[in-house]
Amino acid sequence: MDTPRVYRCEALVLRHRDSGETDRVLRVLSDRYGMFDVVARGLRRAASRRAGHLEPLTRVDLLLAHGRTYDVVTQAQARAVYRSLRESLELLALAGQAVDLVCALLPERQESAGVYRRLVWLLEQLDAASGGGRVALLFFVVGVLREVGFGIEAGRCVRCGRDLAADQDLVLSAAAGGAVCRVCAHDAGAVRMLDADATAVLRAVARGDWPAARRTAAEADLRTPLAAALDHAQYHSDQVLYARGFAAAVERLGERVVS
Amino acid sequence: MAEIETRSPSAIQNLVDQLNRLPGIGPKSAQRLAYFLMRCPREHAEELARAIVDVRARVVTCAVCQNVSDRDPCPICASPQRDPSLVCVVEDPLDVAAIERAHVFKGRYHVLHGALSPLDGVGPEQLRIRELLARLRDGEVREVIMATNPTLEGDATAMYLERLLQPLGVTATRLARGLPAGADLEYADEVTLARALEGRRPAS
């Protein structure tokens, strides 16, 4: 039987780059086919009917035709454009780190429905603009790492296997693969030390307990656990997460405007 | 058994490789262009080669607006007819050419040479933002028009600049957003329609 010439999928547009005179190559994460590149013809023309539907961080229904190098977008209809998210620099910086993480961790064309659902969840959380963007990103990062097999161990020392007391502040080592006890921390390379509040959040996040993570995050400074989770992702994917630089620039801008 | 030579002669292959580096030119197009240049009249090929060498030797960056020009300052920055209190910020030199074609803007420009990208990690230090802030220091500029592209990156850049300009007391404005000429409402996306409605004007 012949393979159908066109197929449908639901996808999130992750990134885009210009191609040729007026085309764009889009990196999408789909619910059924994983992450892959597609080409959208004429997308850079001012009168393009599809351009607004295919901006990065848009959830879209796609009709794709099989192509030689890339499959070609023949129809696109936005399902969610996350308008509040795209109008805030801080939220964009958080979403950017999530997209960068997905691109670094996922192989092309490998079904990743779990990661897709998590990214849709994160974008909805950020778009709801009800605060708690950073804890949502932390929850997403730790969840995706677990899903792709690089989970962060927070209950026991990954070096010696000793259980860590529930009230003990965590010391995290990306190279070791999670929490290390005080003894093993000496030769675990670069580590990040979490205070009691941040530890409580990371433990809840590692358990996948979103209500507890949300509750404990109210008291905590989440910069260190988030940095530790992204260090972990960077170390195990062996890729630099460039979006962290943008997030740092936005944070500096906030301080500059406030001061 | 002797290996069959499948690659082009090395001089042609070198040209193919160089053309292949250009944006939008794939290996096949590079090969086509290389063979065209080999077959076209010698003087055409030499003119092209001279033009490429000249553009690198003669074109400079204007120290004021950061646009590419064969003079520093560029003709726009040097012109007394242009309003120095109005600065239009664009992403690329090609955007200056596009706005100039409309013959409606009488101010000056500032070219950022790119846009911030939250998703690819392009930060402010990679753009000519420091130079823009330096221009605003003497108080001559009263309005900065953000004419970045209506994309996620362009919007992020405009938002970033707005925040930077806030404490400087300069009016920051953005190009109007909405439906392009000749478009169908039926195909408009949610963001474009919302912005078109927000930016509506009295029908007089």
Side-chain angles (χ1 to χ4, degrees), chain A residues 127-150:
Chain A
D127 192 51
S130 53
R134 210 172 255 155
V135 67
L137 176 62
L138 180 63
F139 195 80
F140 170 82
V141 172
V142 173
V144 168
L145 284 168
R146 193 169 48 231
E147 193 130 356
V148 298
F150 297 133

Side-chain angles (χ1 to χ4, degrees), chain B:
Chain B
M1 202 170 75
E3 215 171 278
I4 300 168
E5 180 63 68
T6 54
R7 280 166 69 90
S8 308
S10 63
I12 300 180
Q13 190 55 48
N14 183 28
L15 181 57
V16 171
D17 293 343
Q18 300 309 318
L19 290 168
N20 197 12
R21 286 180 173 186
L22 300 176
I25 306 285
K28 283 265 188 286
S29 302
Q31 214 165 30
R32 253 197 318 273
L33 289 170
Y35 277 91
F36 168 79
L37 288 170
M38 207 182 62
R39 284 193 296 257
C40 74
R42 174 181 284 270
E43 55 273 22
H44 289 185
E46 282 172 357
E47 267 171 42
L48 175 66
R50 259 197 309 277
I52 293 171
V53 171
D54 275 4
V55 82
R56 293 309 301 248
R58 289 197 199 161
V59 172
V60 291
T61 303
C62 171
V64 182
C65 69
Q66 310 299 315
N67 195 7
V68 289
S69 171
D70 44 14
R71 268 177 286 162
D72 182 17
C74 70
I76 294 176
C77 289
S79 166
Q81 266 87 54
R82 309 295 294 224
D83 182 355
S85 69
L86 202 55
V87 170
C88 180
V89 178
V90 295
E91 290 180 19
D92 289 308
L94 285 173
D95 300 334
V96 173
I99 296 175
E100 283 297 291
R101 274 200 302 273
H103 301 293
V104 287
F105 180 66
K106 298 294 171 213
R108 292 178 178 168
Y109 294 93
H110 189 87
V111 183
L112 295 172
H113 291 272
L116 297 177
S117 176
L119 309 178
D120 297 308
V122 178
E125 63 289 341
Q126 284 148 273
L127 309 180
R128 307 282 170 94
I129 291 178
R130 201 177 301 124
E131 291 81 354
L132 173 65
L133 295 180
R135 281 180 80 175
L136 303 181
R137 227 167 268 147
D138 63 6
E140 195 180 17
V141 177
R142 59 181 167 75
E143 182 179 350
V144 173
I145 303 168
M146 256 97 55
T148 50
N149 288 328
T151 57
L152 185 112
E153 292 82 359
D155 287 347
T157 309
M159 280 192 278
Y160 186 88
L161 290 178
E162 263 174 60
R163 296 260 284 268
L164 267 187
L165 300 184
Q166 234 166 28
L168 303 180
V170 180
T171 306
T173 55
R174 287 174 79 171
L175 290 186
R177 299 280 297 267
L179 300 163
D184 277 349
L185 264 182
E186 160 188 13
Y187 292 104
D189 63 284
E190 194 185 308
V191 174
T192 306
L193 267 178
R195 286 188 176 152
L197 278 169
E198 283 164 7
R200 68 189 186 277
R201 293 165 58 171
S204 53

